[in-house]
Amino acid sequence: MKVALVSVGTGQTRRGYERFMTDLFAVLRADVDVTLFKGAGEPAPGECVVRHMKRTGTVARMAGDRMGYTRSRIEFATFAVALWPRLMGGRFDVVHVVDPPLAPKLARMRSLTRAKYGFVFTDGGPAVFDATPYADVVLYISPEQQREAIARGAAPAKGLMLPMGVDTSWMGEAVDRAALRREHGVAADTFVILAVAALNRHHKRVDYLIDEIAKVPGDIVLWIDGGVQPDGDASLLQLARDRLGGRFRHTHVPSGRVRDLYRLADVTVSAAFHESQGLALIEAMCAGLPVVAHDSPHFRWLLDGHGHLVDMAVPGALADRLVHLLGHREELRKPGDRDSARRRFGWESLKETYLDVYRRVVAEAA
């Protein structure tokens, strides 16, 4: 079985989409012939960089201004055109896509050329998009997302709830936490509140997060790990410096180094009201780091009785919970939380289900 994984942003950004596709590629390589088609970066064995007009590039900006197209529309259109000959030449059995703008384009090309591959789409959100007219199977990454999609008219028979997995292979390594903190210049008693999130106000609500943590007294640090490019709000960094001063740290470390931040932090927080899944929170839980998230049906499913739920629509609620945790550190780092998350979201638990999905679409396409 030959599988093509397609992700425009891989090599350009390190958001959830890209992390998911990169991890899935690594997980599948031992079992199937898999190729990762990505938008930028250096090609490694099994990977193929698809040259196209990136939304951040000068040409896309000029063309968009002159022709009235958005830069993202230009990016996905040129990526699809450049990708198609590679898909046809590779004779793939399965094509697995995560970017919504690619689904109708690749479906149209498949129909025109009568290609026989099975088409799988992972609905990574958060934008509303119904892929059931285009894909053979649509993978929803949470029960809430699947329910909402069906309520909006998505074809139920094409959908399957299958979360994005996380790599847990490194999580059993022995680590000297005190030494790790010294390496990063963090005192042993400092209470580190970590947020691994895109720097924006509308979805991740980083402005609310900053305002709440500014209300927490004592020896604390808000550590935000997230990039400004391609669509982050750099003004949030200045807001955090103004409100928190020396109690604020910002990084955008490579994906493989995020594990160090989970190990040195005391708690991780998401201020978002909604998530399609919440990959960073899952990684944190699997690493044994306590999670604080909004009290909603989705996050209740995600935390599954572990972690801490707060009504983040209420001003001061997050600050109050963090003050409590600061004074009751014995509630942190419970082994049961970690073990539950690994069973539910570790790739070792999910890989075979992904392979079963691929086998199903191959059989149906034959």
Side-chain angles (χ1 to χ4, degrees), residues 306-357:
H306 307 280
H308 307 268
L309 295 168
V310 174
D311 185 354
M312 296 201 190
V314 177
L318 174 58
D320 289 345
R321 181 59 58 91
L322 291 172
V323 168
H324 172 81
L325 293 174
L326 183 59
H328 299 82
R329 298 195 190 192
E330 70 279 1
E331 297 183 11
L332 305 174
R333 297 187 179 274
K334 298 177 181 177
D337 296 357
R338 176 195 62 203
D339 296 341
S340 172
R342 291 183 185 183
R343 285 193 300 270
R344 297 170 64 212
F345 299 109
W347 275 122
E348 60 272 25
S349 299
L350 296 175
K351 180 179 76 170
E352 194 59 35
T353 307
Y354 274 86
L355 290 171
D356 284 344
V357 170

Side-chain angles (χ1 to χ4, degrees), residues 32 39 43 50 75 79 85 127 148 202 221 227 261 267 292 298 310 323 356:
V32 295
V50 179
E75 177 175 52
F79 185 94
E148 290 176 355
H202 57 282
V221 165
L261 305 185
V267 66
V292 181
H298 171 74
V310 174
V323 168
D356 284 344

Side-chain angles (χ1 to χ4, degrees), residues 152-190:
R152 292 193 301 266
K158 284 193 174 183
L160 175 68
M161 203 288 287
L162 184 56
M164 296 180 179
V166 299
D167 176 16
T168 61
S169 61
W170 57 272
M171 294 177 182
E173 299 171 359
V175 175
D176 187 336
R177 188 164 180 261
L180 191 58
R181 283 194 162 215
R182 287 194 298 271
E183 177 186 342
H184 288 273
V186 179
D189 294 332
T190 299

Side-chain angles (χ1 to χ4, degrees), residues 230-295:
D231 49 12
D233 184 348
S235 71
L236 290 167
L237 299 178
Q238 189 58 51
L239 175 65
R241 295 183 187 108
D242 292 342
R243 298 297 308 278
L244 294 163
R247 303 197 305 166
F248 172 66
R249 297 275 293 270
H250 171 249
T251 55
H252 188 210
V253 302
S255 298
R257 294 296 305 278
V258 176
R259 63 190 63 176
D260 289 344
L261 305 185
Y262 294 138
R263 287 161 164 166
L264 66 81
D266 292 284
V267 66
T268 190
V269 176
S270 169
F273 284 143
H274 309 282
E275 289 283 6
S276 299
Q277 183 169 327
L279 204 56
L281 297 184
I282 291 171
E283 286 184 325
M285 289 191 295
C286 288
L289 183 62
V291 167
V292 181
H294 178 57
D295 191 356

Side-chain angles (χ1 to χ4, degrees), residues 2 36 42 45 48 59-60 65 106 116 120 123 125 129 132 138 153 168 196-197 202 248 272 283 306 313 322 357:
K2 294 189 68 175
L36 174 63
E42 294 299 321
C48 177
V59 175
D65 292 341
L106 296 184
K116 295 297 185 181
V120 177
D123 191 346
F129 176 71
T132 57
V138 177
T168 61
V196 178
H202 57 282
F248 172 66
E283 286 184 325
H306 307 280
L322 291 172
V357 170

